Amino acid sequence: MRRVPPHRSLVVRLLATSLLVAVCAILATTWLAVQSTTQAIQQAQGRSLADDKNIYDTLVSYAATHRDWSGVAAVLAERAGTLERRITLMTPDRQVIADSAPDGPSLRAARPSATVDPLQVDLGLTGGTARIDRRVLGPYVLTSRESGVTRQLAGRWLTCIHRNSALDGKVVVGPTGRASVQVTGTDGRDVVGHCLPADLAGPLPTEAGPIARLRDATRSCLRRAGAPDRVMIRPDRTAIPSGSAGLDERIDSCLHEALVAQLRAYAAPPALLFVTDEAQGTTEPVFNLSRANVIRIVEVTGAVLAATVLVTVLVGRRLVRPLRALTDAVRQPMDSPARVPVTTRDEIGLLATALNDLAARREQIEALRKTMVSDVAHELRTPLSTMRSWLEAAQDGLAQPDAHLLSLLLDEAMLLQHIIDDLRDLAAADAGELRVHREPHDVADLLDQVVEAHRGAADAAGVRLGLDVAAVGETAVDGARLRQLVGNVVANAIRHTATGGSVTVRCAVRAEQLSIVVSDTGTGIAPADLSRVFERFWRADDSRARRTGGSGLGLSIARKLAEAHGGSISVESVLGVGSTFTVRLPIVAAVPH
């Protein structure tokens, strides 16, 4: 039976369709869930980040202006009440500094929202570029008199800029009290440095000592790094560029390290910040899907379901269409079988092909049945007509009921009996009821009996009938059926051999098979007719003139008898030269009585 390739199998296609629908549904649902969840998380995170930034800025401001956290509890309480969040500060080793909800769940294993350190600012929260909060003043706060001096110098600086350029600006005072000029505009910027008063460019007395210590610490760091220690520090605690990008990067790093060490005593120590919901101990944002998101989920889910139903209906209709065609074909009347178009190569296509083959075989069998009925009627009608004609003639006194008439009627009756016996044997073979009863027999004796039984017919036809049998010994066969088999072939050979011809029966053992060969020098069989030799009622003479006699069933019965013995029969023939029929039977050892 021809198998369906896996990629064309109906089961595989159904499975693939189901998987495709399932994958599409899963992907659509996952995408929707991710989008909705992401949007909700982003909204919650946005609100949480805004709250965290507000709290962080407040605490960094406190740390930059206080040397410790002793008074931060009030700040936490005020911020927590305003934002309805729980705010907790801990030391790096997880010791609580202050907590707006001290009775809440423990946060020792929680992840901190940020580290509050004004000397190491979290740029992600502040959005700035300065790593040290400018509100950490340290030892750089000017006296009132020094601050006034810087304002006067800055005023003179601004006047010079206005007089010598188109730049605009204003005087600004920094957290330490030092004044400077903030310039706006783009033309004549080289004037800014030219107008800078020398007294304002250098450090004031209050700044001189801290800047010198800062310079020394920076130089020491550079020496440890193996870099040149030539560095100059401005009053604003920035280094004058050296002209080398690599050295400037190293100077900035050492300057930052020295400045942090210098300012550490003036700011609160680093602390871990935890911002959580009031009743929860987690720093992760908590959110709920909004009504809009719920509606969106319902809409997309409905669309996925509708698409699933549509795809299922379309695929189902495509799969059911050939089944309906098969059903319609099966319902056709027996006398007009329909053919089913084969449109697929799956199991349904194989079924359609099988049904078409079955319909073709049914038509062929029906045609054979009609032919067989016609042939049987013809074969029976001829002897019956002959018998009826002679009996009517005898009844009307036109023929004498003498021994010749009785002999003629007996011959016709025996022919009828022969035809009926042949039909019975074929019917038994068709029903699987043709049985052989094996007994030990000498095949040579059986063949000799066949030849002697047909000797008279051969002599009457002027045909030489010979036997050439090798010593094959005994074998288990059905003696009567084997004589019938070989006798049918011999009788057929005698009928188709002209006067003066010969028919020879040979027997030998070849390849562990019993080979019985019947050859003649008769009319032969055309190559186109060789495949029809063993069909019922087939004759080379289509005129049905019964010139050669016989019922047309002998060779069909011979084939059935050979198959019942587990063997076969074949024919080779040359038109006008003769034919050779070969019966091959398996050798079955004779069991002694």
Side-chain angles (χ1 to χ4, degrees):
M1 178 181 177
R2 185 160 61 94
R3 293 183 176 275
V4 178
H7 67 283
R8 298 189 181 278
S9 174
L10 182 61
V11 175
V12 173
R13 290 166 60 192
L14 287 174
L15 179 60
T17 302
S18 301
L19 289 177
L20 178 62
V21 172
V23 168
C24 291
I26 291 172
L27 290 178
T29 305
T30 304
W31 175 85
L32 175 62
V34 169
Q35 292 294 321
S36 301
T37 304
T38 301
Q39 183 177 0
I41 289 176
Q42 289 174 346
Q43 293 173 353
Q45 286 180 335
R47 291 192 299 270
S48 177
L49 184 61
D51 292 345
D52 290 352
K53 186 177 184 303
N54 181 280
I55 296 170
Y56 181 80
D57 289 342
T58 301
L59 294 177
V60 168
S61 175
Y62 181 92
T65 55
H66 295 78
R67 293 175 181 263
D68 56 39
W69 298 102
S70 58
V72 77
V75 177
L76 293 189
E78 187 275 329
R79 287 285 83 194
T82 302
L83 302 176
E84 297 182 352
R85 306 290 294 277
R86 178 186 176 185
I87 306 174
T88 306
L89 275 180
M90 289 186 180
T91 61
D93 59 353
R94 301 296 178 110
Q95 298 298 319
V96 177
I97 298 174
D99 192 346
S100 63
D103 298 331
S106 174
L107 299 176
R108 293 184 64 85
R111 186 182 64 181
S113 301
T115 299
V116 181
D117 185 0
L119 302 181
Q120 194 65 42
V121 175
D122 188 338
L123 301 180
L125 287 174
T126 63
T129 58
R131 292 178 291 173
I132 299 177
D133 194 290
R134 295 179 59 85
R135 289 169 291 192
V136 183
L137 304 179
Y140 296 96
V141 179
L142 301 180
T143 64
S144 299
R145 188 182 68 80
E146 290 173 331
S147 180
V149 171
T150 61
R151 284 195 292 270
Q152 291 176 2
L153 294 173
R156 288 161 49 191
W157 185 11
L158 183 59
T159 300
C160 176
I161 292 173
H162 286 163
R163 187 171 54 249
N164 294 281
S165 70
L167 295 175
D168 194 8
K170 62 180 179 178
V171 176
V172 295
V173 181
T176 62
R178 170 182 276 271
S180 64
V181 174
Q182 182 176 348
V183 179
T184 59
T186 58
D187 296 332
R189 283 190 172 273
D190 55 337
V191 178
V192 176
H194 175 73
C195 291
L196 177 63
D199 292 341
L200 191 59
L204 297 175
T206 301
E207 299 172 326
I211 288 179
R213 291 190 293 273
L214 180 62
R215 183 184 61 248
D216 293 341
T218 303
R219 289 177 175 176
S220 177
C221 173
L222 290 172
R223 287 193 295 270
R224 288 195 303 270
D229 61 354
R230 297 185 302 274
V231 60
M232 298 298 293
I233 307 297
R234 299 188 183 100
D236 61 354
R237 290 162 283 179
T238 60
I240 297 175
S242 65
S244 171
L247 180 57
D248 287 342
E249 184 178 351
R250 171 59 64 183
I251 290 173
D252 289 341
S253 175
C254 286
L255 177 59
H256 175 76
E257 179 182 331
L259 188 58
V260 169
Q262 186 180 54
L263 298 179
R264 175 57 66 191
Y266 296 89
L272 302 179
L273 171 63
F274 297 85
V275 181
T276 61
D277 287 345
E278 291 182 332
Q280 298 182 0
T282 174
T283 59
E284 299 297 328
V286 179
F287 65 93
N288 294 315
L289 288 177
S290 64
R291 187 170 185 271
N293 283 333
V294 173
I295 294 176
R296 187 182 179 192
I297 290 175
V298 172
E299 290 176 349
V300 174
T301 302
V304 171
L305 290 176
T308 301
V309 171
L310 178 62
V311 171
T312 303
V313 170
L314 293 178
V315 174
R317 291 184 61 183
R318 181 179 179 84
L319 294 177
V320 169
R321 190 182 302 120
L323 292 177
R324 290 177 176 173
L326 292 176
T327 303
D328 293 340
V330 172
R331 290 177 176 174
Q332 293 294 326
M334 291 292 293
D335 56 350
S336 59
R339 294 293 189 275
V340 182
V342 181
T343 58
T344 61
R345 297 182 182 180
D346 53 15
E347 290 86 351
I348 297 179
L350 289 182
L351 179 58
T353 303
L355 287 177
N356 289 338
D357 293 342
L358 181 61
R361 288 198 300 270
R362 186 174 67 180
E363 292 178 354
Q364 183 180 7
I365 292 173
E366 181 65 16
L368 291 176
R369 184 189 64 81
K370 292 179 180 179
T371 301
M372 181 177 177
V373 170
S374 176
D375 289 339
V376 169
H378 175 79
E379 296 297 333
L380 294 178
R381 181 169 56 249
T382 300
L384 286 174
S385 297
T386 301
M387 294 173 65
R388 177 181 176 182
S389 298
W390 283 110
L391 290 174
E392 288 178 349
Q395 186 179 24
D396 295 338
L398 299 177
Q400 296 295 325
D402 53 10
H404 176 72
L405 179 58
L406 292 177
S407 177
L408 181 62
L409 293 176
L410 180 60
D411 289 342
E412 295 297 330
M414 291 179 65
L415 179 57
L416 282 175
Q417 182 66 43
H418 180 61
I419 294 174
I420 292 172
D421 290 342
D422 288 346
L423 290 173
R424 182 190 61 192
D425 290 340
L426 287 175
D430 291 339
E433 297 176 356
L434 183 61
R435 301 286 186 265
V436 293
H437 303 284
R438 297 180 183 272
E439 293 181 355
H441 287 283
D442 187 336
V443 177
D445 291 342
L446 295 177
L447 296 180
D448 183 66
Q449 296 175 24
V450 172
V451 169
E452 291 303 321
H454 290 80
R455 181 79 62 187
D459 293 342
V463 176
R464 297 186 302 276
L465 180 59
L467 178 63
D468 182 7
V469 179
V472 296
E474 287 190 346
T475 185
V477 295
D478 188 324
R481 292 299 188 183
L482 183 59
R483 287 196 303 271
Q484 182 183 4
L485 188 163
V486 179
N488 287 352
V489 177
V490 170
N492 180 78
I494 293 173
R495 284 195 299 271
H496 291 84
T497 301
T499 301
S502 64
V503 174
T504 305
V505 179
R506 297 182 178 86
C507 179
V509 175
R510 296 186 179 89
E512 298 183 354
Q513 284 187 327
L514 181 64
S515 177
I516 302 173
V517 179
V518 178
S519 57
D520 63 61
T521 59
T523 57
I525 306 169
D529 293 333
L530 283 176
S531 60
R532 303 186 60 193
V533 168
F534 299 102
E535 292 181 7
R536 301 172 187 182
F537 298 110
W538 181 85
R539 295 193 188 92
D541 180 12
D542 294 332
S543 65
R544 294 184 180 271
R546 296 173 58 87
R547 179 178 58 83
T548 58
S551 64
L553 298 174
L555 293 180
S556 297
I557 294 174
R559 182 176 64 178
K560 294 295 183 180
L561 292 174
E563 293 173 353
H565 277 84
S568 63
I569 183 172
S570 60
V571 61
E572 296 177 358
S573 181
V574 178
L575 192 63
V577 176
S579 304
T580 299
F581 288 82
T582 303
V583 179
R584 296 180 178 86
L585 303 178
I587 295 178
V588 180
V591 180
H593 295 290

